[in-house]
Amino acid sequence: FLVAGPVLGADIRSGSQTRDLPTPADYQEPSDRSWTGPWIGAVGGYQFGNSELTLDAVEKSQHIGIDGLGSDGLLGELQLGFDKQFGTNFVVGVFGGVNLNNAEFKVDASSFNAWSTPTSQSADLITFEQEWGGVLGVRAGYLPSANTLVYVAGGWAFGKMGEVKSDFGGKDGKGGNVFEDQDTDLNGWFGEVGLETRVMNNVYFTLAGRYTDYNALT
């Protein structure tokens, strides 16, 4: 959900005009409030990921590639943004967010027939995970009604991933990092579509889907 903080104005009257003002009991929140203003949000959901891992050994003319390293898990993100409404039907804005998830990419020895002992079968050939991520982008939307926004968003995606590890890695082959000097900075782009609706004063509910593509690491 998203929590917005629009600026409210007060019309102060005096004299006999005050007799025409509604009492607090008669006041109702207007349904056509502007979407202009800063907002903060907390997002929760489920993510699915896929990675490709390649290793080139030039001196041996070998190329090893593993495609389809899948992961899934829970995701949480904190967001901060600002929207501006134009006319009665259009909204544009900027926002950023930082997220964490518990998804892990993993390939275990049981996926291959080269290891036959129970100990080797339970070993991890490759494991790595995204430590944290974030987005910084813009969004544009249309208001089919005063309280509902349909929007698209996109921009820069960034973050940090853990180093690739293996139970057979390290200098002594007893476990550790697979690569000595691995880049762990994630940089790419994201695209998002969503539906946002006002459920009460200054409280919004959002249903959205996001696709993120990070560039290759070396």
Side-chain angles (χ1 to χ4, degrees):
F1 65 93
L2 300 179
V3 181
V7 178
L8 303 180
D11 184 7
I12 302 176
R13 307 190 184 194
S14 61
S16 61
Q17 291 179 330
T18 58
R19 293 195 301 268
D20 299 327
L21 293 177
T23 65
D26 297 329
Y27 177 77
Q28 294 182 352
E29 186 70 26
S31 61
D32 58 348
R33 292 180 57 183
S34 173
W35 287 64
T36 296
W39 54 264
I40 59 174
V43 178
Y46 205 79
Q47 76 156 21
F48 303 89
N50 182 77
S51 292
E52 179 180 356
L53 180 65
T54 60
L55 174 62
D56 293 307
V58 179
E59 66 278 4
K60 296 182 179 180
S61 300
Q62 293 180 340
H63 176 84
I64 301 173
I66 302 176
D67 193 4
L69 293 176
S71 71
D72 60 275
L74 298 175
L75 177 141
E77 180 171 293
L78 296 178
Q79 297 181 340
L80 177 65
F82 181 88
D83 288 332
K84 172 69 175 178
Q85 181 174 343
F86 293 90
T88 59
N89 295 109
F90 298 98
V91 174
V92 296
V94 296
F95 71 99
V98 177
N99 59 68
L100 296 173
N101 67 80
N102 64 352
E104 181 182 40
F105 300 89
K106 184 175 182 179
V107 178
D108 58 68
S110 62
S111 303
F112 300 87
N113 296 324
W115 290 270
S116 58
T117 64
T119 301
S120 295
Q121 288 285 339
S122 63
D124 292 330
L125 295 182
I126 297 171
T127 58
F128 61 98
E129 71 286 328
Q130 180 178 327
E131 296 182 353
W132 63 273
V135 294
L136 182 63
V138 298
R139 71 175 188 166
Y142 175 77
L143 294 167
S145 68
N147 294 317
T148 301
L149 174 69
V150 180
Y151 72 90
V152 295
W156 176 39
F158 55 92
K160 179 77 70 173
M161 68 167 287
E163 295 185 336
V164 178
K165 299 181 182 296
S166 171
D167 287 349
F168 303 99
K171 294 182 179 180
D172 56 4
K174 296 182 179 180
N177 294 341
V178 175
F179 308 108
E180 293 185 2
D181 298 314
Q182 178 189 334
D183 183 11
T184 58
D185 292 329
L186 298 172
N187 285 284
W189 60 273
F190 78 96
E192 180 176 320
V193 294
L195 174 67
E196 188 171 313
T197 183
R198 182 186 287 120
V199 294
M200 64 179 65
N201 183 24
N202 291 346
V203 178
Y204 299 74
F205 175 80
T206 300
L207 181 65
R210 178 187 297 172
Y211 177 82
T212 305
D213 189 342
Y214 295 112
N215 296 330
L217 300 180
T218 57

